[in-house]
């Protein structure tokens, strides 16, 4: 059941913060109610749903005018504020009802012309529905249980059984003018209803106050939950809040699958170097319970629960059966080719009905069902993949509830196609060009340290999804906080047996594969060779050489499974070529890593894998901390600033400069076996 989270104290506080006029208080209360709705994932997901309030506001001449404040297009209900609710002159909107038809372009032109603030965001596509209904407070959701209800074969009978005369049913129309008119007509024939169920679409609830409008959303939704629960004799398994550890089988399968999807993407875009998609695997009990259904394959052909989902996850999932998954990349390629061919055929069947010349979208699946194993969301970055996976899970719930309680009958192909290719829906996804490293997975060892974090942040800023590996839990947590959402990580000792396979496996399980390994972690132990402890030297070799080798080996395995090249970047050191007194224990394994870089470049080059590195020197970090800098400067009789700028260009070299060098190497598409020096200039350490 969904909790009623209305809190009088918080609501009053929100209203009191608004200017002391009743209209502003009502707007503040509706914003508060909207945020409550948006914060509940069972009610609203990803920009779905909207809300409105009708008020009297002053125009520029000080005259009172009736306005509709309605959610702006493209913002999330959970982050709602008054600026996201543009004001429109209500009379202008009501006048439109006299028309028999209105194109989307003419509708938006009129909506924009009716706005009090021309700079405000575009109002919701459902603005006219809000305008044509007389209620002061209106809320709208696409809650999954409401979709299950709205997709029943005899939804009207179920609605009557659950709500009696409290609710009316509106047939399906594409959102916009026609739906607004149809909803108003249904309401006027049933003027006592508290809300409307829009077939194949969602739920509207009305209120005389913000609180009543909110509480009706909760009450109605809970009535539907209760009905399904009783009728089905129990609720399906719940979603997991935390990701369960994926089975080993998934770690083997994901890079092959990502590579095969990448092949299809490259073919569609005619770009061999197009990024492979990010894969978000879900293996919770809800997913496994659904996949165990005997009608699973049949349900895969039914379509998505609401047309709103079709723009992100397409109408149908790709289903991979156990034999396909066990048979290697060839079988996956065949399954994907079949999906692409089916999607292309669907596009050809439906495009003719359209006046606009439609361009086919990438024919890849947005959701993949892995028989007995899990569900995958496919996206151009981790955020898009997570949204697709969430929608995939919600669709499984809608299918289960619907099919077990009368039937899951979403819209037919033609209607869903029209929604997927509707210009206004496509606009929701935005046409921003992808950043340089969007869709690239970068694993950074020592990612909590100065150079590691600066590098992780540099790749993240260019759209990459970063997997941070660090010895320290605290450093990892701090790094992930700096990086923000869309990144992940693991704390472990990279010199422990099996650590590389574990870390790379975790990155694969999280993002579906790997594109760039930034093998960065290192530490220096000092002492002159003549009396250096053997164990200490071995310890240094474990971290400064063997960890580089084991991670490179594990990364190469993933690269080869994907079949789309890959990159390895090593943080070497000037010690590798220019020994410093007392730094033998550090320089020796680094010299071996320097050689490893060239050896790997030679051997992996023909597979499209590039291997490069950076020789940095004198960077403020865990290796060279403030106390150490003070000591070294004092020993040389100079101040710290002069010591840190002790190079040809007389400027301190910072971690961010090293990070930029790693990015530059990653961008240099025809460069391999190269080491870039980032030390401000030091002729003794300069490479030939
Ligand atoms: Zn809607």
């Amino acid at each position: 059941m969904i909790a009623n989270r209305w809190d009088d104290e918080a609501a009053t506080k929100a209203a009191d913060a608004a200017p002391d006029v009743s209209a502003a208080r009502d707007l503040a209360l509706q914003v508060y109610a909207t945020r409550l709705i948006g914060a509940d994932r069972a009610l609203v997901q990803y920009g779905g749903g909207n809300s409105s309030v009708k008020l009297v506001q002053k125009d520029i001449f000080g005259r009172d005018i009736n306005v509709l404040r309605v959610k702006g297009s493209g913002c999330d209900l959970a982050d709602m504020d008054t600026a996201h609710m543009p004001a429109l002159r209500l009379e202008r909107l009501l006048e439109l009802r006299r028309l028999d038809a209105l194109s989307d372009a003419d509708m938006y032109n009129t909506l924009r012309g009716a706005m009090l603030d021309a700079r405000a965001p575009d109002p919701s596509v459902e603005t006219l529905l809000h305008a044509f209904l007389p209620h002061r407070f209106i809320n709208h959701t696409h809650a999954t249980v409401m979709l299950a209800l709205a997709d029943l074969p005899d939804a009207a009978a179920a609605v009557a059984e659950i709500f009696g005369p409290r609710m009316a049913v509106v047939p399906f129309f594409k959102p916009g003018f026609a739906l607004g008119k149809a909803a108003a007509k249904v309401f006027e024939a049933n003027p006592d209803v508290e809300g409307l169920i829009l077939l194949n679409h969602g739920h509207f609830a009305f209120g005389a106050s913000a609180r009543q409008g909110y509480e009706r959303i909760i009450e109605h939704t809970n009535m539907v939950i209760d009905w399904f629960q009783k009728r089905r004799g129990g609720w399906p398994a719940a979603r997991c809040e935390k990701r369960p550890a994926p089975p080993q089988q998934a770690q083997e399968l994901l890079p092959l699958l990502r590579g095969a999807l990448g092949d299809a993407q490259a073919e569609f875009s005619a770009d061999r170097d197009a990024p492979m998609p990010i894969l978000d695997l879900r293996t919770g009990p809800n997913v496994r319970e659904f996949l165990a259904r005997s009608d699973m394959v049949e349900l895969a052909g039914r379509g998505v629960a609401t047309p709103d989902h079709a723009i992100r996850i397409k109408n149908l999932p790709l289903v991979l059966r156990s034999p396909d998954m066990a048979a290697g990349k060839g079988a996956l390629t065949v399954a994907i080719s079949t999906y692409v061919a089916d999607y292309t055929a669907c596009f050809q069947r439906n495009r003719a009905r359209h006046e606009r010349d439609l361009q086919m979208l990438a024919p890849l699946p947005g959701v993949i069902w892995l028989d007995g194993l899990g569900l995958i969301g496919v996206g151009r970055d981790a955020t898009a993949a997570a949204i697709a996976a969430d929608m995939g899970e919600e669709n499984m719930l809608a299918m289960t509830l619907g099919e077990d309680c009368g039937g899951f009958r979403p819209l037919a192909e033609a209607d869903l196609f029209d929604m997927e290719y509707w210009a206004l829906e496509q606009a929701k996804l935005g046409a921003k060009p992808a950043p340089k490293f969007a869709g690239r997975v970068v694993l950074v060892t020592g990612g909590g340290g100065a150079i590691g974090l600066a590098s992780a942040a540099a790749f993240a800023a260019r759209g990459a999804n970063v997997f941070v590996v660090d010895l320290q839990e605290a450093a990892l947590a701090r790094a992930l906080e700096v990086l923000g959402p869309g990144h992940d990580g693991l704390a472990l000792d990279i010199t422990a047996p099996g650590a590389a396979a574990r870390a790379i496996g975790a990155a694969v399980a999280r993002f579906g594969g790997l594109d760039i390994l930034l093998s960065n972690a290192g530490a220096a132990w000092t002492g002159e060779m003549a009396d250096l402890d053997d164990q200490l030297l071995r310890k240094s070799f474990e971290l400064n050489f063997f960890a580089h080798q084991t991670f490179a080996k594990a990364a190469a395995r993933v690269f080869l499974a994907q079949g789309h090249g890959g990159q390895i970047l090593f943080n070497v050191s000037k010690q590798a070529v220019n020994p410093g007194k007392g730094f033998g224990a550090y320089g020796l394994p680094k010299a071996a890593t320097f050689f490893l870089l060239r050896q790997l470049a030679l051997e992996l080059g023909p597979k499209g894998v590039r291997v490069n590195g950076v020789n940095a020197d004198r960077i403020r970090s865990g290796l060279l901390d403030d106390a150490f800098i003070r000591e070294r400067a004092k020993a040389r009789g100079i101040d710290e600033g002069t010591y840190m700028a002790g190079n040809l260009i007389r400027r301190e070299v910072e971690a961010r400069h090293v990070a930029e060098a790693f990015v530059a190497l990653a961008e240099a598409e025809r460069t391999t076996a190269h080491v870039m020096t980032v030390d401000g200039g030091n002729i003794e350490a300069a490479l030939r």
Side-chain angles (χ1 to χ4, degrees):
M1 288 290 162
I2 295 166
N4 181 343
R5 293 199 261 185
W6 186 275
D7 174 356
D8 261 332
E9 212 171 297
T12 308
K13 211 171 134 196
D16 286 348
D20 193 21
V21 288
S22 65
R25 289 184 72 86
D26 280 347
L27 179 60
L29 286 169
Q30 181 64 338
V31 165
Y32 169 72
T34 304
R35 282 169 163 253
L36 289 186
I37 294 171
D40 201 321
R41 199 170 63 178
L43 291 171
V44 171
Q45 296 181 315
Y46 304 111
N50 48 52
S51 68
S52 70
V53 53
K54 297 183 181 75
L55 306 165
V56 176
Q57 264 180 243
K58 302 268 186 216
D59 72 1
I60 193 102
F61 302 105
R63 294 176 300 214
D64 283 341
I65 49 166
N66 292 317
V67 301
L68 173 75
R69 301 287 302 244
V70 64
K71 189 195 104 159
S73 187
C75 70
D76 211 278
L77 293 196
D79 312 319
M80 183 59 73
D81 62 42
T82 53
H84 286 125
M85 293 189 88
L88 295 98
R89 292 168 191 272
L90 189 56
E91 268 75 29
R92 294 245 200 113
L93 307 182
L94 293 176
E95 222 186 333
L96 289 172
R97 223 185 134 185
R98 296 211 313 266
L99 296 172
D100 290 328
L102 182 66
S103 71
D104 292 336
D106 285 343
M107 177 180 82
Y108 260 97
N109 193 38
T110 312
L111 293 185
R112 287 214 65 93
M115 286 165 66
L116 265 68
D117 180 352
R119 292 158 302 182
D122 268 340
S124 159
V125 66
E126 279 151 346
T127 296
L128 292 181
L129 201 162
H130 288 264
F132 294 166
L133 293 168
H135 310 87
R136 287 198 62 211
F137 296 85
I138 299 179
N139 300 316
H140 168 46
T141 74
H142 308 133
T144 301
V145 289
M146 290 306 197
L147 297 177
L149 174 67
D151 287 332
L152 288 171
D154 195 355
V159 170
E161 187 187 326
I162 299 167
F163 295 104
R166 296 168 65 186
M167 190 79 75
V169 169
V170 182
F172 180 78
F173 286 91
K174 205 166 78 170
F177 177 70
L179 176 60
K181 271 187 87 159
K185 204 172 140 199
V186 169
F187 167 73
E188 282 157 10
N190 305 275
D192 298 325
V193 293
E194 297 168 6
L196 299 170
I197 297 293
L198 276 50
L199 292 186
N200 306 116
H201 177 160
H203 170 219
F204 272 80
F206 318 135
S209 66
R211 179 173 186 163
Q212 188 183 44
Y214 166 76
E215 289 184 337
R216 279 184 174 164
I217 285 281
I218 304 297
E219 191 197 350
H220 295 169
T221 310
N222 281 335
M223 287 166 81
V224 176
I225 290 174
D226 187 56
W227 185 82
F228 274 116
Q229 196 147 22
K230 290 211 174 89
R231 205 169 156 109
R232 191 177 175 271
W235 200 252
R239 282 181 67 167
C240 276
E241 285 308 316
K242 273 187 76 179
R243 270 165 207 281
Q248 183 63 31
Q249 189 194 354
Q251 287 183 25
E252 301 291 331
L253 175 73
L254 287 168
L256 294 173
L257 183 56
R258 185 170 184 245
L261 289 164
D263 293 343
Q265 173 66 47
E267 197 180 317
F268 173 71
S269 58
D271 175 7
R272 259 180 72 184
D273 301 318
M276 291 172 279
I278 300 292
L279 309 182
D280 191 325
L281 174 68
R282 305 289 169 90
T283 58
N286 59 328
V287 174
R288 280 182 282 114
E289 182 180 276
F290 178 86
L291 293 171
R293 290 179 69 102
S294 57
D295 57 356
M296 184 265 282
V297 173
E298 202 230 316
L299 284 172
R302 294 277 180 88
V304 281
T306 174
D308 220 34
H309 290 177
I311 56 165
R312 293 197 193 260
I313 59 173
K314 298 214 159 59
N315 192 8
L316 304 175
L318 164 65
V319 182
L320 292 177
R321 310 306 304 271
S322 299
D324 292 334
M325 291 190 278
K329 193 169 173 184
L332 300 176
T333 301
V334 170
I336 292 166
S337 304
T338 307
Y339 186 94
V340 169
D342 289 348
Y343 183 85
T344 308
C346 167
F347 177 79
Q348 300 298 359
R349 271 198 300 281
N350 288 285
R351 75 187 299 185
R353 290 183 288 107
H354 288 254
E355 284 167 26
R356 270 187 316 129
D357 185 28
L358 301 177
Q359 290 289 316
M360 190 171 83
L361 301 166
L364 300 185
V367 166
I368 301 173
W369 295 358
L370 307 175
D371 195 0
L373 193 62
L375 170 152
I376 290 175
V378 182
R380 77 172 192 179
D381 55 29
T383 306
I387 292 173
D390 283 347
M391 285 189 172
E393 289 194 62
E394 292 301 322
N395 271 282
M396 285 181 166
L397 175 61
M399 287 177 179
T400 300
L401 294 176
E403 195 63 9
D404 294 351
C405 300
F408 176 71
R409 296 282 182 279
L411 281 182
E413 176 187 286
D415 287 314
L416 282 161
F417 177 87
D418 291 353
M419 286 296 288
E420 192 184 346
Y421 282 87
W422 186 25
L424 292 178
E425 284 292 296
Q426 289 297 332
K428 281 189 190 169
L429 296 179
K432 274 187 292 178
K436 178 91 187 173
F437 287 96
R440 309 292 188 187
V441 179
V442 182
L443 184 146
V444 183
T445 66
I451 292 175
L453 181 52
S455 304
F459 279 104
R462 289 162 175 84
N465 293 117
V466 180
F467 194 87
V468 176
V469 174
D470 203 281
L471 178 61
Q472 311 287 347
E473 285 276 4
L476 171 67
R478 200 184 54 233
L480 291 177
E481 204 183 307
V482 169
L483 294 174
H487 310 284
D488 215 325
L490 179 68
L492 92 172
D493 174 2
I494 61 170
T495 63
R502 246 191 87 203
I504 301 245
V508 166
R510 178 64 182 81
F511 296 120
L514 182 70
D515 298 282
I516 300 173
L517 164 66
L518 204 176
S519 191
N520 162 70
W525 287 275
T526 52
E528 300 211 355
M529 292 310 294
D531 48 26
L532 191 67
D533 177 51
D534 291 348
Q535 283 311 313
L536 193 119
L537 182 59
R538 285 179 197 280
K539 193 174 163 188
S540 181
F541 259 92
E542 284 298 336
L543 178 62
N544 293 311
F545 171 71
F546 283 108
H548 288 297
Q549 156 64 3
T550 54
F551 269 74
K553 202 165 109 180
R557 225 177 135 237
V558 176
F559 294 157
L560 299 186
Q562 292 174 157
H564 281 249
Q567 286 197 58
I568 299 171
L569 295 166
F570 288 115
N571 188 354
V572 191
S573 167
K574 76 115 194 178
Q575 280 301 318
V577 292
N578 176 223
K581 213 164 171 317
F583 278 89
Y586 184 56
L588 272 165
K590 285 290 192 179
T593 299
F594 183 73
F595 186 87
L596 172 69
L597 180 158
R598 295 167 175 225
Q599 189 71 30
L600 286 169
L602 174 71
E603 292 173 1
L604 294 175
K607 310 279 186 199
V609 178
R610 298 193 287 117
V611 188
N612 294 294
V614 169
N615 270 1
D617 189 28
R618 217 170 280 187
I619 316 287
R620 245 178 245 276
S621 68
L623 254 69
L624 184 60
D625 60 16
D626 292 346
F628 198 51
I629 292 168
R630 246 190 321 273
E631 182 194 311
R632 301 282 296 259
K634 204 172 148 200
R636 295 182 189 200
I638 51 177
D639 67 70
E640 290 166 39
T642 309
Y643 172 73
M644 289 308 288
N647 54 45
L648 294 178
I649 61 170
R650 303 277 183 264
R651 301 284 298 273
E652 179 175 344
V653 185
E654 297 168 37
R656 66 189 170 95
H657 299 117
V658 183
E660 292 304 320
F662 280 124
V663 169
L665 287 166
E667 285 178 334
E669 288 173 20
R670 295 294 179 268
T671 298
T672 190
H674 182 63
V675 173
M676 189 185 278
T677 301
V678 185
D679 60 2
N682 171 4
I683 287 302
E684 285 75 40
L687 297 174
R688 67 172 171 86

